């Protein structure tokens, strides 16, 4: 299993929506076949970091949801289905 890379500051500052939009643009560029090999590697690497950032944001949101679920007037947790 590969080790998680440190997210660069410019990606870490992005909202989930902004990171997802940029990731979608990268996928479109790679799918177009109009990107040379070196640039493909560069944008694929950025895409993998954006994906990791989005997954971290979703995981954080799921943890927050788990903490605030209210069951019968008492605080409890219930797994959030974010997939």
């Amino acid at each position: 299993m590969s080790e998680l890379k440190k997210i660069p500051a410019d990606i870490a500052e992005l909202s989930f929506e902004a990171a997802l939009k940029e990731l979608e643009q990268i996928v479109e560029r790679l799918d177009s076949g109009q990107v040379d090999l070196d640039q493909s590697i560069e944008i694929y690497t950025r895409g993998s970091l954006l994906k990791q950032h989005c997954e971290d944001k979703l995981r954080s949101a799921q943890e927050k949801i788990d903490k605030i679920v209210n069951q019968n007037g008492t605080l409890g947790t219930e797994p959030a289905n974010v997939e």
Side-chain angles (χ1 to χ4, degrees), residues 16-66:
F16 173 82
E17 293 79 9
L20 185 59
K21 182 176 182 178
E22 185 177 342
L23 182 56
E24 289 170 344
Q25 291 170 345
I26 286 172
V27 170
E28 288 175 10
R29 287 180 67 195
L30 290 171
D31 282 347
S32 76
Q34 302 299 314
V35 183
D36 65 33
L37 180 61
D38 289 337
Q39 190 176 25
S40 292
I41 293 169
E42 182 181 318
I43 63 176
Y44 180 86
T45 300
R46 182 163 176 88
S48 69
L49 293 169
L50 287 162
K51 178 182 175 283
Q52 181 181 332
H53 176 65
C54 287
E55 289 172 345
D56 291 346
K57 289 276 193 183
L58 286 174
R59 191 175 305 106
S60 176
Q62 181 172 349
E63 289 170 1
K64 289 176 184 176
I65 291 169
D66 288 348

Side-chain angles (χ1 to χ4, degrees), residues 55-82:
E55 289 172 345
D56 291 346
K57 289 276 193 183
L58 286 174
R59 191 175 305 106
S60 176
Q62 181 172 349
E63 289 170 1
K64 289 176 184 176
I65 291 169
D66 288 348
K67 288 179 183 179
I68 61 174
V69 171
N70 187 335
Q71 297 175 335
N72 298 326
T74 61
L75 288 179
T77 62
E78 180 178 305
N81 185 6
V82 293

Side-chain angles (χ1 to χ4, degrees), residues 1-7 48-49 52:
M1 185 178 269
S2 65
E3 182 179 314
L4 294 179
K5 296 180 182 179
K6 183 174 176 6
I7 302 294
S48 69
L49 293 169
Q52 181 181 332

